[in-house]
């Protein structure tokens, strides 16, 4: 703490001493004001994350600027009055006939006994013979019967020789291969468990409780054992084949999220990571998502995954990914524009909303507007072919990007914002990542951002809120394998429950005598295979 001077001490100070003291106090006051501004920014940003919309789009942020004085904020006298047609509500169209029939056509039907009127009742009402039957009225209702249980009773015929060369030898009927030997589990039961836990993000103890309410006693330990054993035996080679297909693509995307694994952590607060690797966003024919559990986050983890890869890897700005490009000559790293605009979005969110006009004149707001122009144009190009998209990007977006980088460098040279502010962080990020942010302009298959990877990992993030942590590395690895299959199935328009049921029925038939599976023989079971049964496919509207 600075020394406090008494009035007498100040009166006895020389002019030079007083000047030195004032200059020192100015420096302290400037530092204090800077720290206060940082704290205000942090409080506003925390409140925005807690109470505001979790979005970085300019339209949504604009909406958050209207907390005060909307009349002043949105006033624009140059805008013409709307026409009556624009103001008055449009008359709702009548519901199309036959829509319910279309919605229900994929489901099996059960024709119930008709609701009849007896002859005696008819004669009593109309008089004997004074009536005739008209066409029947029909209506449909949808019935759902959850948790239906059936015990499968399997019978194996057994014979014994009574004479001849095979006297006293036994011969049994050929029993089907079991999912797990001497286990009560069936493909349909395990598929149901996997669907509830990994697709619907519920915890095993809740599944256990639901089973108990239906009179079925299967502990979470037993279910966990089934998942672990089937993941190691069946899903590992299955996902390995998916990985081979992923690494054959020209563009891939990657992201990671922290998770806690109790027995694989060095200390209680240490973080392990679930990585996600997926096909490029524009590869819609056979989208692939691979989850991978790793204890750490250093560059050696993705380096091992992509060691044989040749193509473009779209990521966020982590230095680990840049090191991959340096160590693997056939890999090009592309960065995400959604991350590039994040600091600017935060700066606008934490700005003083009492003065919306000043906010809209800020460097952060202008940066968001300029980046928004890239997104607006690129969104319109999504339906084009790769070559057409590249041509349009070069023609329409590249000049805007060049202008944007020149503008950013000008702001930094002019020191228009404090370097340690959110806007300053955003400007430095743009300059530091310029090489990687430009890659999407050189290849039509490269998406403008890495949002597809973030969407792919969202189901896991939702699930870990329910079960909080994994116990062992093996458990985390098993979860990664199941998520890989379920998320890829969803992207390929499959119904996860029926798909799990199908592959769990078929995979035991691919095991050799030692119980191993040759992953090269699994092509017909892949989520994108056209040989999957129709039951696995999501009904198309």
């Amino acid at each position: 703490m600075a020394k406090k001077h008494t009035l007498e001490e100040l009166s006895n100070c020389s002019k030079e001493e007083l000047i030195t003291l004032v200059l020192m106090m100015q420096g302290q006051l400037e530092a204090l004001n800077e720290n206060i501004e940082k704290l205000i920014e942090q409080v506003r940003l925390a409140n925005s994350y807690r109470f505001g919309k979790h979005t970085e789009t300019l339209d949504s942020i604009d909406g958050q600027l209207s907390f005060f004085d909307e009349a002043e904020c949105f006033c624009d006298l140059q805008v013409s009055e709307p026409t009556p047609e624009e103001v008055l509500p449009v008359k709702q169209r009548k519901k199309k006939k036959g829509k319910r029939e279309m919605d229900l056509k994929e489901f099996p039907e059960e024709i119930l006994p008709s609701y009849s009127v007896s002859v005696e009742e008819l004669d009593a009402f109309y008089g004997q013979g004074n009536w005739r039957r008209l066409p029947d009225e029909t209506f449909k209702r949808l019935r759902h019967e959850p948790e239906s249980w059936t015990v499968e009773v399997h019978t194996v015929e057994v014979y014994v020789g009574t004479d001849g060369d095979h006297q006293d030898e036994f011969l049994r009927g050929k029993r089907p291969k079991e999912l797990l030997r001497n286990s009560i589990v069936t493909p349909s039961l395990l598929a149901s468990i996997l669907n509830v836990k990994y697709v619907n993000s519920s915890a095993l103890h809740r599944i256990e409780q639901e089973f108990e309410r239906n009179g079925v006693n299967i502990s979470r330990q037993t279910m966990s054992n089934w998942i672990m054993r089937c993941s190691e035996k069946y899903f590992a080679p299955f996902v390995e084949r998916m990985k081979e297909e992923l690494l054959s693509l020209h563009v891939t995307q990657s992201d990671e999220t922290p998770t806690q694994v109790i027995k694989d952590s060095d200390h209680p607060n240490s973080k392990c990571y679930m990585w996600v690797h997926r096909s490029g966003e524009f590869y819609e024919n056979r989208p692939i998502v691979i989850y991978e559990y790793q204890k750490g986050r250093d560059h050696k983890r993705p380096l091992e995954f992509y060691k044989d890869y040749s193509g473009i890897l779209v990521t966020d700005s982590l230095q680990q990914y840049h090191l991959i490009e340096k160590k693997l000559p056939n890999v090009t790293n592309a960065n995400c524009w959604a991350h590039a605009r994040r600091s600017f979005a935060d700066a606008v969110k934490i700005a003083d909303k009492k003065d919306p006009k000043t906010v809209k004149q800020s460097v952060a707001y202008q940066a968001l507007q300029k980046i928004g122009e890239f997104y607006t144009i690129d969104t319109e190009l999504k339906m084009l072919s790769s070559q057409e998209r590249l041509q349009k990007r070069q023609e329409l977006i590249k000049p805007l990007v060049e202008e944007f980088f020149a503008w950013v460098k000008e702001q930094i040279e002019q020191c228009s914002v404090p370097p340690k502010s959110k806007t300053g962080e955003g400007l430095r990020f743009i300059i530091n990542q310029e090489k990687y942010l430009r890659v999407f302009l050189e290849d039509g298959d490269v998406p403008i951002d890495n949002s597809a990877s973030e969407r792919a990992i969202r189901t896991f993030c939702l699930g870990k809120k329910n079960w909080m942590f994994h116990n062992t590395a093996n458990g985390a690895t098993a979860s990664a394998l199941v998520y890989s299959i379920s998320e890829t199935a969803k992207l390929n328009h499959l119904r996860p429950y029926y798909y799990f049921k199908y592959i769990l029925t078929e995979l035991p038939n691919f095991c050799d005598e030692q119980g191993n599976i040759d992953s090269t023989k699994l092509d017909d079971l892949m989520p994108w295979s056209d040989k999957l049964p129709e039951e696995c496919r999501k009904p198309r509207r």
Side-chain angles (χ1 to χ4, degrees):
M1 179 179 285
K3 178 184 175 183
K4 291 184 177 180
H5 296 275
T6 64
L7 181 61
E8 184 180 354
E9 289 174 334
L10 292 173
S11 300
N12 294 330
C13 287
S14 65
K15 180 179 179 181
E16 290 76 12
E17 289 174 333
L18 289 174
I19 291 173
T20 302
L21 185 61
V22 170
L23 290 175
M24 182 178 66
M25 292 176 64
Q26 283 181 334
Q28 292 175 345
L29 184 60
E30 184 178 351
L32 183 62
N33 287 335
E34 184 176 342
N35 289 334
I36 291 173
E37 286 296 325
K38 286 183 180 178
L39 288 173
I40 292 173
E41 282 189 350
Q42 291 173 4
V43 171
R44 286 176 176 166
L45 190 59
N47 286 336
S48 173
Y49 285 153
R50 185 177 181 186
F51 302 112
K53 292 182 179 179
H54 293 186
T55 180
E56 294 157 6
T57 60
L58 194 56
D59 290 342
S60 299
I61 294 175
D62 275 344
Q64 296 178 28
L65 297 181
S66 62
F67 293 157
F68 298 91
D69 197 5
E70 291 102 327
E72 181 183 7
C73 178
F74 293 111
C75 178
D76 188 349
L77 299 179
Q78 304 301 318
V79 177
S80 59
E81 283 284 326
T83 64
E85 289 76 14
E86 293 174 321
V87 175
L88 298 175
V90 179
K91 187 177 180 180
Q92 291 186 350
R93 296 178 181 177
K94 291 183 178 180
K95 190 175 180 181
K96 291 183 179 180
K97 290 185 177 181
K99 185 177 184 304
R100 177 173 292 179
E101 297 291 332
M102 291 296 294
D103 290 342
L104 301 178
K105 70 175 184 178
E106 299 292 337
F107 300 102
E109 291 187 351
E110 177 185 348
I111 300 177
L112 301 177
S114 62
Y115 306 114
S116 60
V117 183
S118 66
V119 175
E120 292 77 10
E121 189 177 354
L122 290 167
D123 287 341
F125 185 78
Y126 292 109
Q128 188 170 7
N130 295 332
W131 51 268
R132 64 185 177 87
R133 185 169 181 174
L134 297 176
D136 296 340
E137 294 179 356
T138 60
F139 61 91
K140 293 184 177 180
R141 298 293 181 266
L142 186 62
R143 187 175 72 222
H144 178 228
E145 298 173 355
E147 299 299 346
S148 175
W149 300 89
T150 303
V151 177
E152 295 181 355
V153 180
H154 296 260
T155 302
V156 179
E157 295 183 358
V158 182
Y159 297 86
V160 64
T162 58
D163 201 354
D165 295 338
H166 298 284
Q167 185 176 354
D168 298 330
E169 292 184 14
F170 292 94
L171 184 64
R172 290 177 171 84
K174 187 176 181 180
R175 59 189 294 172
K177 288 191 175 181
E178 295 179 299
L179 194 59
L180 298 173
R181 188 165 180 79
N182 297 325
S183 173
I184 196 174
V185 68
T186 59
S188 62
L189 176 56
L190 184 55
S192 179
I193 295 169
L194 296 176
N195 186 64
V196 175
K197 176 171 171 58
Y198 294 99
V199 179
N200 297 331
S201 303
S202 187
L204 286 180
H205 80 272
R206 294 178 184 169
I207 304 175
E208 178 185 11
Q209 291 170 350
E210 181 63 21
F211 283 178
E212 287 179 354
R213 285 189 282 269
N214 286 273
V216 178
N217 298 311
I218 303 177
S219 69
R220 73 194 79 171
Q221 180 68 59
T222 299
M223 289 185 277
S224 178
N225 291 343
W226 290 345
I227 295 171
M228 296 279 287
R229 291 170 62 188
C230 286
S231 295
E232 181 180 356
K233 186 174 183 179
Y234 301 117
F235 296 157
F238 193 92
V239 173
E240 184 62 30
R241 177 66 192 93
M242 291 170 55
K243 178 181 176 181
E244 292 172 5
E245 188 70 22
L246 174 68
L247 296 180
S248 70
L249 300 175
H250 175 57
V251 177
T252 58
Q253 300 179 230
S254 186
D255 197 10
E256 78 291 327
T257 187
T259 187
Q260 190 173 2
V261 181
I262 301 299
K263 294 184 179 178
D264 201 30
S265 301
D266 298 327
H267 54 82
N269 294 323
S270 66
K271 293 180 180 178
C272 301
Y273 287 86
M274 189 68 78
W275 296 71
V276 65
H277 314 278
R278 64 151 293 161
S279 53
E281 183 178 355
F282 294 119
Y283 297 141
E284 297 181 350
N285 288 337
R286 49 176 62 185
I288 305 169
V289 176
I290 304 292
Y291 277 75
E292 181 191 28
Y293 165 72
Q294 292 287 357
K295 182 177 180 180
R297 198 187 191 187
D298 60 84
H299 76 281
K300 295 179 182 178
R301 317 295 174 168
L303 182 64
E304 176 63 24
F305 189 92
Y306 289 102
K307 62 182 179 181
D308 299 321
Y309 181 60
S310 177
I312 299 175
L313 176 60
V314 183
T315 67
D316 56 24
S317 59
L318 280 180
Q319 184 64 22
Q320 289 90 318
Y321 297 119
H322 300 337
L323 287 174
I324 293 178
E325 182 183 71
K326 294 177 182 178
K327 292 179 177 291
L328 300 177
N330 294 325
V331 174
T332 300
N333 189 201
N335 264 21
C336 169
W337 275 96
H339 282 78
R341 70 184 180 188
R342 191 154 294 169
S343 293
F344 300 126
D346 288 343
V348 173
K349 289 178 181 179
I350 62 182
D352 188 354
K353 296 181 175 59
K354 293 180 180 178
D355 191 1
K357 285 187 176 179
T358 301
V359 175
K360 290 191 175 184
Q361 294 171 357
S362 67
V363 172
Y365 192 90
Q366 293 178 59
L368 285 179
Q369 283 183 312
K370 294 177 183 296
I371 296 174
E373 292 178 16
F374 310 161
Y375 270 88
T376 299
I377 298 173
D378 200 69
T379 300
E380 297 174 353
L381 307 180
K382 285 190 174 182
M383 302 308 295
L384 301 181
S385 67
S386 175
Q387 191 60 39
E388 291 172 330
R389 189 182 303 114
L390 176 60
Q391 180 182 346
K392 290 294 185 181
R393 281 176 172 176
Q394 290 280 325
E395 178 184 339
L396 302 175
I397 302 180
K398 188 173 182 179
L400 298 176
V401 173
E402 298 290 352
E403 179 186 336
F404 176 70
F405 279 113
W407 176 81
V408 169
K409 292 171 184 176
E410 181 182 347
Q411 301 305 315
I412 293 178
E413 289 174 1
Q414 294 176 353
C415 298
S416 57
V417 294
K420 294 184 179 180
S421 66
K422 281 292 180 180
T423 303
E425 290 176 6
L427 295 174
R428 290 199 311 275
F429 179 94
I430 295 292
I431 296 303
N432 294 335
Q433 306 297 326
E434 179 177 358
K435 168 188 172 183
Y436 309 103
L437 290 170
R438 289 179 177 271
V439 176
F440 86 106
L441 296 172
E442 308 301 326
D443 193 307
D445 284 331
V446 177
I448 192 172
D449 59 32
N450 197 32
S451 298
S453 291
E454 295 186 355
R455 291 193 298 270
I457 210 168
R458 191 172 295 161
T459 304
F460 172 78
C461 294
L462 178 62
K464 71 179 181 179
K465 290 181 180 180
N466 289 327
W467 56 75
M468 301 302 290
F469 50 77
H470 288 92
N471 189 39
T472 65
N474 288 339
T477 299
S479 292
L481 293 170
V482 180
Y483 274 119
S484 300
I485 298 173
S486 64
E487 292 302 302
T488 303
K490 288 193 289 185
L491 287 179
N492 283 272
H493 309 293
L494 301 180
R495 296 193 283 180
Y497 165 75
Y498 290 99
Y499 183 60
F500 274 124
K501 177 184 172 184
Y502 174 68
I503 63 174
L504 287 170
T505 301
E506 296 297 324
L507 283 172
N509 299 322
F510 287 83
C511 293
D512 58 21
E513 295 181 357
Q514 287 74 39
N516 300 318
I517 295 178
D518 183 355
S519 62
T520 61
K521 298 180 179 180
L522 299 178
D523 285 2
D524 289 347
L525 299 183
M526 291 292 108
W528 51 83
S529 172
D530 56 5
K531 296 184 179 180
L532 297 177
E534 199 61 32
E535 180 185 52
C536 297
R537 304 187 188 281
K538 182 180 177 181
R540 296 192 181 271
R541 300 298 181 191

